[in-house]
Coordinates of all heavy atoms in Angstrom, one line a residue:
G234 N 21.0 21.5 20.6 CA 20.7 20.8 21.9 C 20.8 19.3 21.6 O 20.4 18.6 22.4
I235 N 21.4 19.0 20.4 CA 21.7 17.6 20.1 C 23.2 17.5 20.1 O 23.9 18.2 19.4 CB 21.1 17.3 18.7 CG1 19.6 17.7 18.5 CG2 21.4 15.9 18.3 CD1 19.0 17.4 17.2
G236 N 23.7 16.5 20.7 CA 25.1 16.3 20.8 C 25.5 15.4 19.6 O 24.8 14.3 19.3
L238 N 25.9 13.9 15.8 CA 25.1 13.8 14.6 C 25.3 15.0 13.7 O 24.4 15.6 13.1 CB 23.6 13.8 15.1 CG 23.2 12.8 16.0 CD1 21.7 12.6 16.2 CD2 23.8 11.4 15.8
G271 N 17.9 3.8 13.3 CA 19.1 3.4 14.1 C 18.7 3.1 15.6 O 17.6 2.9 15.8
I272 N 19.7 3.2 16.4 CA 19.7 2.6 17.7 C 18.9 3.5 18.6 O 18.9 4.7 18.6 CB 21.1 2.5 18.2 CG1 21.8 1.4 17.4 CG2 21.1 2.0 19.7 CD1 23.2 1.3 17.5
S273 N 18.1 2.8 19.5 CA 17.2 3.5 20.4 C 17.9 4.4 21.3 O 19.0 4.1 21.7 CB 16.5 2.5 21.2 OG 15.4 3.0 21.9
G274 N 17.4 5.6 21.5 CA 17.9 6.6 22.6 C 19.1 7.3 22.0 O 19.9 7.9 22.8
C275 N 19.2 7.3 20.7 CA 20.4 8.2 20.2 C 20.1 9.4 19.5 O 20.9 10.1 18.8 CB 21.3 7.3 19.3 SG 22.1 5.9 20.3
G276 N 18.8 9.7 19.7 CA 18.5 11.2 19.1 C 17.7 11.3 17.8 O 17.6 12.2 17.2
K277 N 17.0 10.1 17.5 CA 16.2 10.2 16.2 C 15.1 11.1 16.4 O 14.7 12.0 15.5 CB 15.7 8.8 15.8 CG 16.8 7.7 15.6 CD 16.2 6.5 15.1 CE 15.5 5.7 16.1 NZ 16.1 5.3 17.3
S278 N 14.3 10.8 17.4 CA 13.0 11.8 17.7 C 13.5 13.2 18.0 O 12.9 14.1 17.5 CB 12.3 11.2 18.9 OG 11.8 10.0 18.6
L279 N 14.6 13.4 18.6 CA 15.2 14.7 19.0 C 15.4 15.5 17.6 O 15.1 16.6 17.4 CB 16.5 14.5 19.7 CG 16.9 15.4 20.7 CD1 15.8 15.7 21.7 CD2 18.1 14.9 21.5
D330 N 6.9 9.0 13.5 CA 7.8 8.3 14.4 C 7.5 6.8 14.3 O 6.4 6.4 14.2 CB 7.5 8.8 15.8 CG 8.8 8.8 16.7 OD1 10.0 8.9 16.0 OD2 8.7 8.7 17.8
E331 N 8.6 6.1 14.3 CA 8.5 4.6 14.2 C 7.6 4.2 13.1 O 6.7 3.5 13.3 CB 8.3 4.0 15.5 CG 9.2 4.5 16.6 CD 9.0 4.0 18.0 OE1 8.2 3.2 18.2 OE2 9.8 4.5 18.8
N373 N 13.2 2.1 14.0 CA 14.3 1.3 14.8 C 14.5 0.0 14.0 O 15.6 -0.5 14.0 CB 13.7 1.0 16.1 CG 13.5 2.2 16.9 OD1 13.0 3.2 16.4 ND2 13.8 2.3 18.2
I405 N 27.3 15.5 24.5 CA 25.9 15.1 25.2 C 26.0 15.5 26.7 O 25.0 15.9 27.3 CB 25.5 13.7 24.8 CG1 25.5 13.6 23.3 CG2 24.3 13.3 25.6 CD1 25.2 12.1 22.9
I408 N 25.6 19.1 27.1 CA 24.2 19.6 27.0 C 23.3 19.3 28.1 O 22.6 20.2 28.6 CB 23.7 19.0 25.7 CG1 24.2 19.6 24.4 CG2 22.1 19.1 25.6 CD1 24.0 18.7 23.1
H409 N 23.4 18.1 28.6 CA 22.5 17.7 29.7 C 22.9 18.4 31.1 O 22.0 18.6 31.9 CB 22.3 16.2 29.8 CG 21.5 15.7 28.6 ND1 20.1 16.0 28.5 CD2 21.8 15.0 27.6 CE1 19.7 15.5 27.4 NE2 20.6 14.9 26.8
G434 N 22.8 8.4 24.0 CA 22.5 9.7 24.4 C 21.5 9.6 25.6 O 21.7 10.4 26.6
S435 N 20.5 8.9 25.5 CA 19.5 8.8 26.5 C 20.1 8.2 27.8 O 19.7 8.7 28.9 CB 18.3 8.1 25.9 OG 17.8 7.3 26.8
E438 N 22.0 10.9 29.5 CA 21.0 11.7 30.2 C 20.6 11.1 31.6 O 20.6 11.8 32.6 CB 19.8 12.1 29.4 CG 18.8 13.0 29.9 CD 17.6 13.2 29.1 OE1 17.2 12.3 28.4 OE2 16.9 14.3 29.4
Ligands
LIG501 N1 22.5 13.1 20.6 C1 21.8 13.5 21.7 N2 22.2 14.6 22.2 C2 21.5 15.1 23.4 N3 20.7 14.4 24.0 C3 20.3 13.1 23.4 C4 20.9 12.6 22.3 N4 20.4 11.4 22.0 C5 19.5 11.1 23.0 N5 19.4 12.2 23.8 C6 18.5 12.3 25.1 O1 17.7 11.1 25.1 C7 16.4 11.3 24.9 C8 15.8 10.3 24.0 O2 16.3 10.4 22.8 P1 15.4 10.3 21.4 O3 14.0 10.2 21.8 O4 15.7 11.2 20.4 O5 15.8 8.8 21.0 P2 15.3 8.0 19.8 O6 16.5 7.6 19.0 O7 14.2 8.5 19.2 O8 15.0 6.6 20.5 P3 13.8 5.5 20.3 O9 14.3 4.7 19.1 O10 13.8 4.7 21.6 O11 12.6 6.3 20.1 C9 16.3 12.6 24.3 O12 15.1 13.3 24.7 C10 17.5 13.4 24.8 O13 17.2 13.9 26.1

Side-chain angles (χ1 to χ4, degrees):
I235 305 174
L238 310 186
I272 295 164
S273 194
C275 292
K277 296 187 297 296
S278 298
L279 213 53
D330 210 23
E331 303 184 3
N373 297 43
I405 298 173
I408 286 166
H409 287 291
S435 135
E438 184 184 21

